[in-house]
Coordinates of all heavy atoms in Angstrom, one line a residue:
W270 N -24.7 132.8 -117.3 CA -23.5 132.4 -116.5 C -23.6 133.0 -115.1 O -23.9 134.1 -115.0 CB -22.3 132.9 -117.3 CG -20.9 132.6 -116.7 CD1 -20.2 133.3 -115.7 CD2 -20.2 131.4 -117.0 NE1 -19.1 132.6 -115.4 CE2 -19.0 131.5 -116.2 CE3 -20.3 130.3 -117.9 CZ2 -18.0 130.5 -116.3 CZ3 -19.3 129.4 -117.9 CH2 -18.2 129.5 -117.1
V271 N -23.3 132.2 -114.1 CA -23.3 132.7 -112.7 C -21.9 132.7 -112.2 O -21.5 133.8 -111.7 CB -24.2 131.8 -111.8 CG1 -24.2 132.3 -110.4 CG2 -25.7 131.8 -112.4
S272 N -21.2 131.6 -112.2 CA -19.9 131.6 -111.6 C -19.1 130.3 -112.0 O -19.7 129.3 -112.4 CB -19.9 131.7 -110.1 OG -20.5 130.6 -109.5
V273 N -17.8 130.4 -111.7 CA -16.9 129.2 -111.9 C -15.9 129.3 -110.8 O -15.4 130.4 -110.4 CB -16.3 129.1 -113.3 CG1 -15.3 130.3 -113.5 CG2 -15.6 127.8 -113.5
E274 N -15.6 128.2 -110.2 CA -14.6 128.1 -109.1 C -13.7 126.9 -109.3 O -14.0 126.0 -110.0 CB -15.4 127.9 -107.8 CG -16.4 129.0 -107.4 CD -17.2 128.6 -106.2 OE1 -16.6 128.2 -105.2 OE2 -18.4 128.8 -106.2
P275 N -12.4 126.9 -108.8 CA -11.9 128.0 -107.9 C -11.5 129.2 -108.6 O -11.3 129.2 -109.8 CB -10.7 127.3 -107.3 CG -10.2 126.4 -108.4 CD -11.5 125.9 -109.0
S276 N -11.5 130.3 -107.9 CA -11.1 131.6 -108.5 C -9.6 131.8 -108.7 O -9.2 132.6 -109.5 CB -11.7 132.8 -107.7 OG -11.2 132.7 -106.4
S277 N -8.8 131.1 -107.9 CA -7.4 131.2 -108.0 C -6.8 130.2 -109.0 O -7.1 129.0 -108.9 CB -6.8 131.0 -106.6 OG -5.4 130.9 -106.7
P278 N -5.9 130.7 -109.8 CA -5.2 129.8 -110.7 C -4.1 128.9 -110.1 O -3.4 128.1 -110.7 CB -4.6 130.7 -111.8 CG -4.3 132.0 -111.0 CD -5.5 132.1 -110.0
F279 N -3.9 129.1 -108.8 CA -2.8 128.4 -108.1 C -3.3 127.3 -107.3 O -2.6 126.6 -106.5 CB -2.0 129.4 -107.2 CG -1.5 130.6 -107.9 CD1 -2.0 131.8 -107.9 CD2 -0.4 130.4 -108.8 CE1 -1.5 132.9 -108.6 CE2 0.1 131.4 -109.5 CZ -0.4 132.7 -109.4
V280 N -4.6 127.0 -107.4 CA -5.2 125.8 -106.7 C -5.0 124.6 -107.7 O -5.6 124.5 -108.7 CB -6.7 126.0 -106.4 CG1 -7.2 124.7 -105.7 CG2 -6.8 127.2 -105.5
A281 N -4.1 123.7 -107.3 CA -3.7 122.7 -108.3 C -4.5 121.4 -108.1 O -4.5 120.5 -108.9 CB -2.2 122.3 -108.1
K282 N -5.2 121.3 -106.9 CA -5.9 120.0 -106.7 C -7.2 120.3 -105.9 O -7.2 121.2 -105.1 CB -5.0 119.1 -105.9 CG -5.6 117.7 -105.7 CD -4.6 116.8 -105.0 CE -3.4 116.5 -105.8 NZ -2.5 115.5 -105.2
G283 N -8.2 119.5 -106.1 CA -9.5 119.7 -105.4 C -10.7 119.7 -106.3 O -10.6 119.2 -107.4
D284 N -11.7 120.3 -105.9 CA -13.0 120.4 -106.7 C -13.0 121.6 -107.5 O -12.5 122.7 -107.1 CB -14.2 120.4 -105.8 CG -14.4 119.0 -105.1 OD1 -13.7 118.1 -105.5 OD2 -15.2 119.0 -104.1
A285 N -13.5 121.5 -108.7 CA -13.9 122.7 -109.6 C -15.4 122.7 -109.8 O -16.0 121.6 -109.9 CB -13.1 122.6 -110.9
S286 N -16.0 123.9 -109.7 CA -17.4 124.0 -109.8 C -17.8 125.0 -110.9 O -17.1 126.0 -111.1 CB -18.0 124.4 -108.5 OG -17.7 123.4 -107.5
A287 N -19.0 124.8 -111.5 CA -19.5 125.8 -112.4 C -21.0 125.9 -112.1 O -21.7 124.9 -111.8 CB -19.3 125.3 -113.8
T288 N -21.5 127.1 -112.1 CA -22.9 127.4 -111.9 C -23.5 128.2 -113.0 O -23.0 129.3 -113.4 CB -23.1 128.2 -110.6 OG1 -22.5 127.5 -109.5 CG2 -24.6 128.4 -110.3
L289 N -24.6 127.7 -113.6 CA -25.3 128.4 -114.7 C -26.8 128.4 -114.4 O -27.3 127.4 -113.7 CB -25.1 127.8 -116.1 CG -23.7 128.1 -116.7 CD1 -22.7 126.9 -116.3 CD2 -23.8 128.2 -118.2
A290 N -27.5 129.4 -114.8 CA -29.0 129.4 -114.6 C -29.6 129.3 -116.0 O -29.2 129.8 -117.0 CB -29.4 130.8 -114.0
Y291 N -30.7 128.5 -116.0 CA -31.3 128.1 -117.3 C -32.8 128.4 -117.2 O -33.5 128.2 -116.2 CB -31.1 126.6 -117.6 CG -29.7 126.2 -117.8 CD1 -29.0 125.6 -116.7 CD2 -29.0 126.4 -119.0 CE1 -27.7 125.2 -116.9 CE2 -27.7 126.0 -119.1 CZ -27.0 125.4 -118.1 OH -25.7 125.0 -118.2
Q292 N -33.4 128.8 -118.4 CA -34.8 129.0 -118.5 C -35.2 128.5 -119.9 O -34.5 128.7 -120.9 CB -35.0 130.5 -118.4 CG -36.5 130.9 -118.3 CD -36.6 132.5 -118.1 OE1 -35.6 133.2 -118.2 NE2 -37.7 132.9 -117.8
L293 N -36.3 127.8 -119.9 CA -36.9 127.3 -121.2 C -38.2 128.0 -121.4 O -39.1 127.9 -120.6 CB -37.1 125.7 -121.2 CG -37.2 125.1 -122.5 CD1 -36.0 125.1 -123.4 CD2 -37.6 123.6 -122.3
V294 N -38.3 128.6 -122.6 CA -39.4 129.5 -122.9 C -40.1 129.1 -124.1 O -39.5 128.8 -125.2 CB -39.0 131.0 -123.0 CG1 -40.1 131.9 -123.4 CG2 -38.3 131.4 -121.7
R295 N -41.4 129.0 -124.1 CA -42.2 128.7 -125.3 C -42.1 129.9 -126.3 O -42.3 131.1 -125.9 CB -43.7 128.5 -125.0 CG -44.0 127.2 -124.4 CD -45.5 126.9 -124.2 NE -46.2 127.1 -125.4 CZ -47.5 126.7 -125.6 NH1 -48.1 126.0 -124.7 NH2 -48.1 126.9 -126.8
I296 N -41.8 129.6 -127.5 CA -41.6 130.6 -128.5 C -42.9 131.3 -128.9 O -42.9 132.5 -129.1 CB -40.9 130.0 -129.8 CG1 -39.5 129.6 -129.5 CG2 -40.9 131.1 -130.9 CD1 -38.8 128.9 -130.6
D297 N -44.0 130.6 -128.9 CA -45.3 131.2 -129.3 C -45.9 132.1 -128.3 O -46.5 133.1 -128.6 CB -46.3 130.1 -129.8 CG -46.5 129.1 -128.7 OD1 -45.8 129.1 -127.6 OD2 -47.5 128.3 -128.8
T298 N -45.7 131.8 -127.0 CA -46.4 132.5 -126.0 C -45.4 133.3 -125.1 O -45.9 134.2 -124.3 CB -47.2 131.6 -125.1 OG1 -46.4 130.7 -124.4 CG2 -48.2 130.8 -125.9
G299 N -44.1 132.9 -125.0 CA -43.2 133.5 -124.1 C -43.3 133.0 -122.7 O -42.6 133.5 -121.8
E300 N -44.1 132.0 -122.5 CA -44.2 131.4 -121.2 C -43.0 130.6 -120.8 O -42.4 129.8 -121.6 CB -45.4 130.4 -121.2 CG -45.7 129.7 -119.9 CD -46.7 128.6 -120.1 OE1 -47.2 128.4 -121.2 OE2 -47.0 127.9 -119.1
T301 N -42.5 130.8 -119.6 CA -41.4 130.0 -119.0 C -42.0 128.6 -118.5 O -42.9 128.6 -117.7 CB -40.8 130.7 -117.8 OG1 -40.2 131.9 -118.3 CG2 -39.7 129.8 -117.2
I302 N -41.5 127.6 -119.1 CA -41.9 126.2 -118.8 C -40.9 125.4 -118.0 O -41.2 124.3 -117.5 CB -42.4 125.5 -120.0 CG1 -41.2 125.3 -121.0 CG2 -43.6 126.1 -120.6 CD1 -41.6 124.5 -122.2
F303 N -39.7 125.9 -117.9 CA -38.6 125.2 -117.1 C -37.6 126.3 -116.6 O -37.3 127.2 -117.4 CB -37.9 124.2 -118.0 CG -36.7 123.6 -117.4 CD1 -36.8 122.5 -116.6 CD2 -35.4 124.2 -117.6 CE1 -35.6 121.9 -116.0 CE2 -34.3 123.6 -117.0 CZ -34.4 122.5 -116.2
Q304 N -37.2 126.2 -115.4 CA -36.3 127.1 -114.8 C -35.5 126.4 -113.7 O -36.0 125.8 -112.8 CB -37.0 128.3 -114.3 CG -36.1 129.5 -113.9 CD -36.8 130.8 -113.8 OE1 -38.0 130.9 -114.1 NE2 -36.2 131.8 -113.3
R305 N -34.1 126.4 -113.8 CA -33.3 125.8 -112.9 C -32.0 126.6 -112.8 O -31.5 127.1 -113.8 CB -33.0 124.4 -113.2 CG -34.1 123.4 -113.0 CD -34.3 123.1 -111.5 NE -35.1 121.9 -111.3 CZ -36.4 121.9 -111.5 NH1 -37.1 122.9 -111.9 NH2 -37.1 120.8 -111.3
T306 N -31.4 126.7 -111.6 CA -30.0 127.1 -111.5 C -29.2 125.8 -111.1 O -29.6 125.1 -110.1 CB -29.8 128.1 -110.4 OG1 -30.5 129.3 -110.8 CG2 -28.3 128.5 -110.2
I307 N -28.2 125.5 -111.9 CA -27.5 124.2 -111.7 C -26.0 124.5 -111.3 O -25.3 125.2 -112.0 CB -27.5 123.4 -113.0 CG1 -29.0 123.1 -113.4 CG2 -26.8 122.0 -112.8 CD1 -29.1 122.3 -114.7
R308 N -25.6 123.9 -110.2 CA -24.2 124.0 -109.8 C -23.6 122.6 -109.8 O -24.1 121.7 -109.2 CB -24.1 124.5 -108.4 CG -22.6 124.7 -107.9 CD -22.6 125.3 -106.5 NE -21.2 125.6 -106.1 CZ -20.4 124.7 -105.5 NH1 -20.8 123.5 -105.2 NH2 -19.1 125.1 -105.1
T309 N -22.6 122.4 -110.7 CA -21.9 121.1 -110.8 C -20.5 121.2 -110.4 O -19.8 122.2 -110.5 CB -22.0 120.7 -112.3 OG1 -21.6 121.7 -113.1 CG2 -23.4 120.3 -112.7
T310 N -20.0 120.0 -109.9 CA -18.7 119.9 -109.3 C -18.0 118.7 -109.9 O -18.6 117.7 -110.2 CB -18.7 119.8 -107.8 OG1 -19.4 121.0 -107.3 CG2 -17.3 119.7 -107.2
I311 N -16.6 118.8 -110.1 CA -15.9 117.7 -110.6 C -14.5 117.7 -109.8 O -14.0 118.7 -109.4 CB -15.6 117.8 -112.1 CG1 -15.1 116.5 -112.7 CG2 -14.7 119.0 -112.5 CD1 -15.1 116.5 -114.2
K312 N -14.0 116.5 -109.6 CA -12.7 116.3 -109.0 C -11.6 116.8 -110.1 O -11.6 116.3 -111.2 CB -12.4 114.9 -108.6 CG -13.3 114.4 -107.5 CD -13.0 115.2 -106.2 CE -13.9 114.6 -105.0 NZ -13.6 115.4 -103.8

C-alpha cells in the first residue's frame, strides 16, 4: 500500500486516487519477474 487520496473526508466531489506497488516473484528462485507502482484515479 502506498497511498489513497483525497486525504480529507470533506471533499465531496472530484477525483479519488489509489496507489499500490506490486512485485511478482518466482517461488522456486525468488527472482522478481514483474514490478510496477500503479496509481489509479476515478471520478
Side-chain angles (χ1 to χ4, degrees):
W270 184 269
V271 178
S272 66
V273 65
E274 301 173 45
S276 56
S277 169
F279 303 105
V280 179
K282 186 177 294 186
D284 292 346
S286 299
T288 305
L289 287 93
Y291 299 100
Q292 192 176 7
L293 196 66
V294 177
R295 284 186 53 162
I296 293 175
D297 58 350
T298 66
E300 176 191 2
T301 297
I302 57 176
F303 170 88
Q304 192 164 349
R305 286 288 195 284
T306 296
I307 302 176
R308 182 180 187 272
T309 47
T310 302
I311 192 170
K312 294 292 183 183

